[in-house]
Amino acid sequence: MIVSERIAQISASPTLAMAAKAVAMKAAGENILSMSLGEPDFPTPIHVKQAVKDAVDADLSHYGPVPGTPGLRAAAAKYMSAWAGKTELFAAEDIIVSVGAKQSICNAIETLVGKGDEVILPTPCWVSYSEMVKLAEGMPVFVRTTMDNDFILTPEVLEAAITPRTKVLVLCTPNNPTGAVYSAKNIDALAEVLLRYPQVVIIADEIYNQICYTGTCASWASKTELLDRLVIVNGVSKAFAMTGYRIGWLACKDKAFIKACTRLQGQQITCATMVAQYAAQKALEGDLGCVADMTKAFERRRDLIVKLAKDIRGWKVRSPKGAFYLFPDVTGLLGMYAPADSAYAKSRNTTLVANADDLCEYLLVDGHVACVSGSAFGEDTCIRLSYACSERQIAEAMQRIRAAVERLG
Ligand code: PMP
Ligand code: GLU
């Protein structure tokens, strides 16, 4: 079969690909520590698990409304309003529930972006945005943020990237992969530029908002003057350790957008899984103490990994302020050589570690630690390590990486 040109140009998700590779190596008997996939290792909170059982017993087994159950939409609206520090900022009808935040973002892009429309993506950025834009036949416009500026997009760089064809800006805070968190001041500065360009819609991916180590993470929803062109994305995957439930949502005050996006979803999936929607509702309505506890654990892990990473030769490290990723600059190691007797050398014609992809391959086959190359996120001098795993695993992985890096010459 010949696949369509549109799909042929989409690359596979490198985060999922690396995770699958690590799983396959483990299944083949290799002792691999995986720091590739960004998903909490904690079990889903007990009251949420109970909700699933209740939902099954209550026969929540039929189709539901396309944009989500009234209960979850109302709970999400309340949750999002509270985060922005405003009661009733969002109402249930401003919310569309989808199969994970990934689908919410994809739907938003599909709804807004047409052929040739430009979408500004500050890099490093999550692997899927650009492919979603291409799927919509839009044009990703990458603008670089740098470690020296804590990977924060500046108003000057944003303004320089805006053209009459710019349709959307996608911003992620706390950021995957950099761990950067936009302060209220950073958001204000960008908002000042955006107010001058009313054609630009902002998709704010705030899926990691609970996992923030600098106090409450500022939300784009607090920018009421932009509210008519803001799409805010969130979900239960990260905050509630519910990645496999596949429930995310978007919030938007623009009724025409909600109507169109609902129409799209109605032709795509009918609705997200009813049992999972009920569980997500109970997660949002329940005690958020479990979320705070998980965030505290992530913070301890962050402190540990940063401390250990600072000891690794050739790495430049910034302490992440949110999410659960470390994104060290590894320029100091590029151009070095793996030992001639290494598994890396045996599997290739060269011992040269030329770029971040090579380094990840070397760390995988010789260090037995799976990381993701920064090239997947648009920054090929860095690599990403997910520290959503136990402190013991972090310590062991960093020790393996340190030893493997010491063998480079
Ligand atoms: N946005 C970012 C930045 C992510 O890292 C992820 C990870 N999966 C998602 C969205 C999608 O989350 P979900 O599991 O809800 O689809
Ligand atoms: N968002 C996570 C990550 O970046 C999960 C994988 C994915 O959806 O890309 O690793």
Side-chain angles (χ1 to χ4, degrees), residues 13-17 19 35-39 102 126-128 176-177 207-208 238 243 246 324-325 372 377 384 386:
S13 163
T15 47
L16 299 180
M35 305 196 79
S36 55
L37 196 60
E39 72 168 335
K102 194 177 238 177
W126 183 45
V127 296
S128 293
N176 174 7
I207 184 88
Y208 294 97
K238 316 290 175 176
T243 44
R246 310 304 305 124
F324 35 62
Y325 306 104
V372 183
F377 308 94
R384 189 191 82 171
S386 163

Side-chain angles (χ1 to χ4, degrees), residues 78-101:
K78 202 167 157 201
Y79 178 78
M80 306 279 282
S81 303
W83 197 267
K86 299 191 166 71
T87 39
E88 296 179 12
L89 179 67
F90 295 110
E93 62 262 30
D94 304 326
I95 306 285
I96 301 177
V97 177
S98 295
V99 182

Side-chain angles (χ1 to χ4, degrees), residues 238-251:
K238 316 290 175 176
F240 295 89
M242 291 173 68
T243 44
Y245 284 70
R246 310 304 305 124
I247 295 291
W249 56 82
L250 56 78

Side-chain angles (χ1 to χ4, degrees), residues 88-362:
E88 296 179 12
L89 179 67
F90 295 110
E93 62 262 30
D94 304 326
I95 306 285
I96 301 177
V97 177
S98 295
V99 182
K102 194 177 238 177
Q103 196 198 10
S104 302
I105 300 164
C106 198
N107 280 0
I109 290 173
E110 283 280 354
T111 304
L112 294 165
V113 176
K115 203 176 177 105
D117 286 342
E118 293 175 4
V119 177
I120 299 178
L121 301 175
T123 61
C125 68
W126 183 45
V127 296
S128 293
Y129 301 141
S130 56
E131 306 311 292
M132 292 170 178
V133 171
K134 287 196 239 158
L135 207 51
E137 299 188 86
M139 295 234 314
V141 174
F142 298 108
V143 294
R144 196 159 172 252
T145 68
T146 61
M147 189 179 263
D148 292 342
N149 194 37
D150 287 324
F151 293 113
I152 296 288
L153 176 67
T154 62
E156 296 75 26
V157 171
L158 170 64
E159 186 147 30
I162 297 176
T163 75
R165 295 238 52 177
T166 305
K167 192 74 195 281
V168 173
L169 162 70
V170 182
L171 262 184
C172 178
T173 177
N175 189 274
N176 174 7
T178 65
V181 171
Y182 283 75
S183 66
K185 239 177 159 171
N186 295 142
I187 291 177
D188 286 350
L190 295 176
E192 212 180 294
V193 173
L194 291 161
L195 282 168
R196 291 198 285 276
Y197 300 92
Q199 89 275 17
V200 181
V201 175
I202 303 101
I203 300 180
D205 181 352
E206 299 185 355
I207 184 88
Y208 294 97
N209 69 340
Q210 295 277 4
I211 306 163
C212 180
Y213 316 121
T214 57
T216 303
C217 169
S219 172
W220 275 86
S222 62
K223 296 299 333 162
T224 34
E225 53 290 33
L226 288 172
L227 215 50
D228 57 342
R229 51 193 170 104
L230 261 179
V231 179
I232 315 246
V233 175
N234 211 319
V236 287
S237 287
K238 316 290 175 176
F240 295 89
M242 291 173 68
T243 44
Y245 284 70
R246 310 304 305 124
I247 295 291
W249 56 82
L250 56 78
C252 179
K253 296 299 290 181
D254 185 278
K255 289 199 178 343
F257 171 87
I258 291 287
K259 216 169 140 187
C261 197
T262 304
R263 209 161 59 229
L264 166 68
Q265 178 151 296
Q267 295 293 11
Q268 258 177 349
I269 62 157
T270 304
C271 66
T273 308
M274 292 296 279
V275 167
Q277 288 196 62
Y278 187 71
Q281 178 188 332
K282 292 298 157 190
L284 297 187
E285 289 173 351
D287 181 6
L288 297 187
C290 55
V291 178
D293 289 346
M294 287 190 268
T295 298
K296 272 190 215 125
F298 285 132
E299 188 169 8
R300 284 195 297 275
R301 295 165 177 192
R302 188 273 311 253
D303 293 344
L304 175 66
I305 199 167
V306 168
K307 188 172 112 213
L308 298 174
K310 282 190 171 158
D311 269 351
I312 293 178
R313 182 168 68 125
W315 280 23
K316 226 165 82 189
V317 174
R318 278 287 156 97
S319 185
K321 294 187 171 136
F324 35 62
Y325 306 104
L326 186 75
F327 200 62
D329 182 306
V330 295
T331 310
L333 301 176
L334 306 183
M336 296 185 90
Y337 293 89
D341 62 351
S342 61
Y344 178 81
K346 283 177 198 149
S347 67
R348 314 182 147 213
N349 295 330
T350 172
T351 57
L352 177 67
V353 175
N355 52 41
D357 291 9
D358 290 351
L359 183 65
C360 283
E361 180 66 16
Y362 172 68

